[in-house]
Amino acid sequence: MSRHHVYSFLRFLFVIAVTILGAIALYYVSTVTYPFIIAFFIAFLINPLVDFLERKAKMPRWLAVIVTLVVLFAVVAGLVTLLIAEIVSGTQYLAHIVPEKFQALVSYIEMFFAQQIIPLYQDLAVLFKNLDADQQDTIMNNIQAVGTQIATTVGQFIQHVLQNIPQLLAWLPNAATVFIFSLLATFFISKDWRRLTGIAQTLLPAKAHKSGKTVFRDLKKALFGFIKAQATLISITTVIVLIGLLILRVDYAITIALIIGLVDILPYLGTGIVFVPWIIYTAVSGNIPFAIGLGVLYIVVLVQRQIMEPKVLSSSIGLDPLATLVALFVGFKLIGFLGLIIGPVVLVIIRTLHSANVFRDIWNFIIGKSTP
C-alpha cells in the first residue's frame, strides 16, 4: 500500500472520529444548554419581524425585540385562552349530555349481558361440567394465569402513573426556570444578532464561512417551509373535519374540529386519539349510523393526510416527492412517529450540505486533493 493511500485512510479515520466526537459533544452540551438553543431558534424565527420593525418603524433594536416578544406572547396567550374557553364551554355541554349518554350505555350493557353473555355462560358451564377433571383443572389454571397477568399489568401501570406524579410536580419549577432563561436569552440573542454573526464570521475561515452561510440560508428556507407545510396540513385537516361534523350535525363542531386539528400534529394516529374512542363509544351505545359517519370522516382524514403530506412537504421545502416519501417511511421505521418529522429534516440537512459542497470538500480532504 502506497504512502498516499495510508494518509488517505488516516484522514478518513480522522473525519469519522471528528464526526462521532462532535455528535457526542453536541449531545452532552445540549443537555445543559437547551434553554439557549431554544432561545436561538426563537430569535431566528422572530428576526424577520424584528428587522422589519427596526427598519420600517425606526425603532431601536432592543425595543423592536421587546415589541415582537410581547406580540408573540400575546398571540400565544390569546390562542391558549380561546382554546381553554372553548374547552370549558364544551365541557359544560358534556357535563349535561354525558350522564344521559352514560345511562344509555349502562342500559345497553345490561341488556347485552342479559341477552348474550348470561346464555353463553350457561352453555359454557354445561360444557365445562362435561369435561374431565384434568381438562377442568387446565382451563381453571389458564384462567387464573390470565387474571394474574391482567392484575399485574394494571397494577404496574397504576404504580407507574403514581410514581410519575412527583416527577411531574418537580418538573413544573424546572419548566418555569427554562422559560425565563429562554425568554431572556432570546432577547439578548436577537438584540445582538448582528454582533454575534459578525463574531462568528471573524472566528470561521473564509471557506467555512461561505459554506456555513449557504447551509444556514437553505436551512432557514427549509425551516420556514416545514412550518408552512405543517400549518397547511393542519388547516386542511381542520376544514375537512369541520365540514364533516357540520354534515353530521354535531354540536360544538368548531371546537371539536380545532382540537382534532391540533392533535393532527401527531401524524397518522394524531386524529385517531379523538376519532377512535368516539367511534367505539357511538357504536357501543347503539348509534350505528353516526358511528359509520364518523368512521368515514376518519378514513377521509387519514387518506388525505397520506396523499397530501409528501406533496405539501416537497413543495414547501423544495424536496423531491419520492425522496420525501422515503424519508417519511425510513424515519417512521427507525424512530417511530417522531421520525415522521425528523426524517424530512435530516433529508433537508443532507441536501443542504450537498448543495454547499460540504461533502465534496470532505472527500477532497480525505483523498488529499486541494479545493479551490
Side-chain angles (χ1 to χ4, degrees):
M1 183 180 293
S2 65
R3 180 179 298 180
H4 174 73
H5 289 90
V6 172
Y7 287 160
S8 296
F9 180 72
L10 292 176
R11 283 191 291 265
F12 173 75
L13 293 179
F14 175 76
V15 170
I16 297 297
V18 169
T19 302
I20 295 175
L21 292 176
I24 295 174
L26 181 63
Y27 171 76
Y28 283 106
V29 169
S30 63
T31 57
V32 294
T33 61
Y34 62 91
F36 304 98
I37 296 175
I38 296 172
F40 173 80
F41 280 107
I42 296 176
F44 174 70
L45 291 175
I46 67 174
N47 246 2
L49 181 56
V50 173
D51 292 338
F52 175 81
L53 292 176
E54 184 184 17
R55 185 175 63 255
K56 297 295 184 180
K58 306 299 181 181
M59 291 184 181
R61 188 166 182 86
W62 63 269
L63 181 59
V65 175
I66 292 177
V67 171
T68 301
L69 290 176
V70 170
V71 170
L72 178 63
F73 183 79
V75 170
V76 173
L79 291 176
V80 171
T81 303
L82 177 63
L83 180 61
I84 292 176
E86 289 292 335
I87 291 175
V88 170
S89 177
T91 302
Q92 292 175 349
Y93 167 76
L94 292 176
H96 292 289
I97 200 68
V98 165
E100 178 184 348
K101 297 295 184 180
F102 184 74
Q103 185 62 39
L105 178 61
V106 171
S107 301
Y108 177 81
I109 293 175
E110 291 176 351
M111 186 181 300
F112 178 77
F113 267 86
Q115 296 179 356
Q116 304 292 334
I117 302 300
I118 293 178
L120 178 61
Y121 170 76
Q122 293 173 347
D123 294 339
L124 291 176
V126 173
L127 292 175
F128 183 77
K129 291 179 181 179
N130 293 331
L131 296 175
D132 296 335
D134 294 338
Q135 293 175 330
Q136 292 180 2
D137 292 338
T138 301
I139 293 175
M140 292 302 299
N141 290 334
N142 289 334
I143 293 175
Q144 290 176 358
V146 172
T148 302
Q149 181 64 33
I150 293 174
T152 302
T153 303
V154 173
Q156 290 176 349
F157 174 76
I158 295 175
Q159 182 182 11
H160 179 71
V161 171
L162 294 176
Q163 288 176 347
N164 285 335
I165 291 177
Q167 297 179 3
L168 177 62
L169 296 177
W171 174 80
L172 294 177
N174 180 65
T177 304
V178 171
F179 173 77
I180 293 173
F181 273 90
S182 297
L183 186 63
L184 292 174
T186 301
F187 171 76
F188 289 113
I189 291 174
S190 183
K191 182 177 73 72
D192 297 330
W193 185 267
R194 294 191 182 91
R195 184 174 66 85
L196 295 175
T197 53
I199 293 174
Q201 291 178 7
T202 57
L203 294 177
L204 292 175
K207 186 167 184 58
H209 173 255
K210 181 179 178 181
S211 299
K213 188 176 181 180
T214 303
V215 172
F216 189 79
R217 184 185 66 247
D218 291 348
L219 287 179
K220 179 180 179 181
K221 179 182 177 182
L223 176 61
F224 283 103
F226 183 79
I227 295 174
K228 177 184 175 182
Q230 292 300 324
T232 302
L233 292 171
I234 292 172
S235 300
I236 293 173
T237 298
T238 303
V239 171
I240 292 176
V241 171
L242 178 60
I243 293 173
L245 295 181
L246 291 176
I247 293 174
L248 295 174
R249 298 181 180 179
V250 176
D251 294 325
Y252 292 92
I254 296 177
T255 303
I256 297 173
L258 288 174
I259 294 174
I260 293 176
L262 289 176
V263 299
D264 192 46
I265 295 174
L266 301 172
Y268 294 97
L269 289 183
T271 55
I273 295 176
V274 177
F275 272 114
V276 172
W278 196 3
I279 293 171
I280 293 175
Y281 167 77
T282 52
V284 171
S285 61
N287 195 351
I288 302 300
F290 185 64
I292 294 174
L294 288 177
V296 171
L297 179 58
Y298 181 43
I299 292 173
V300 171
V301 170
L302 283 181
V303 170
Q304 72 83 20
R305 180 82 189 203
Q306 307 299 321
I307 295 175
M308 294 298 296
E309 186 167 18
K311 183 178 170 91
V312 172
L313 283 175
S314 62
S315 60
S316 299
I317 304 178
L319 297 175
D320 181 75
L322 179 60
T324 305
L325 189 62
V326 172
L328 289 169
F329 181 78
V330 173
F332 174 74
K333 296 298 290 184
L334 292 178
I335 307 176
F337 294 113
L338 188 61
L340 295 170
I341 297 176
I342 294 178
V345 172
V346 172
L347 183 61
V348 168
I349 293 174
I350 293 174
R351 190 202 65 172
T352 303
L353 294 176
H354 174 71
S355 63
N357 297 321
V358 174
F359 296 130
R360 185 197 65 182
D361 294 340
I362 293 174
W363 177 250
N364 289 337
F365 169 75
I366 291 174
I367 64 176
K369 180 181 178 182
S370 60
T371 55

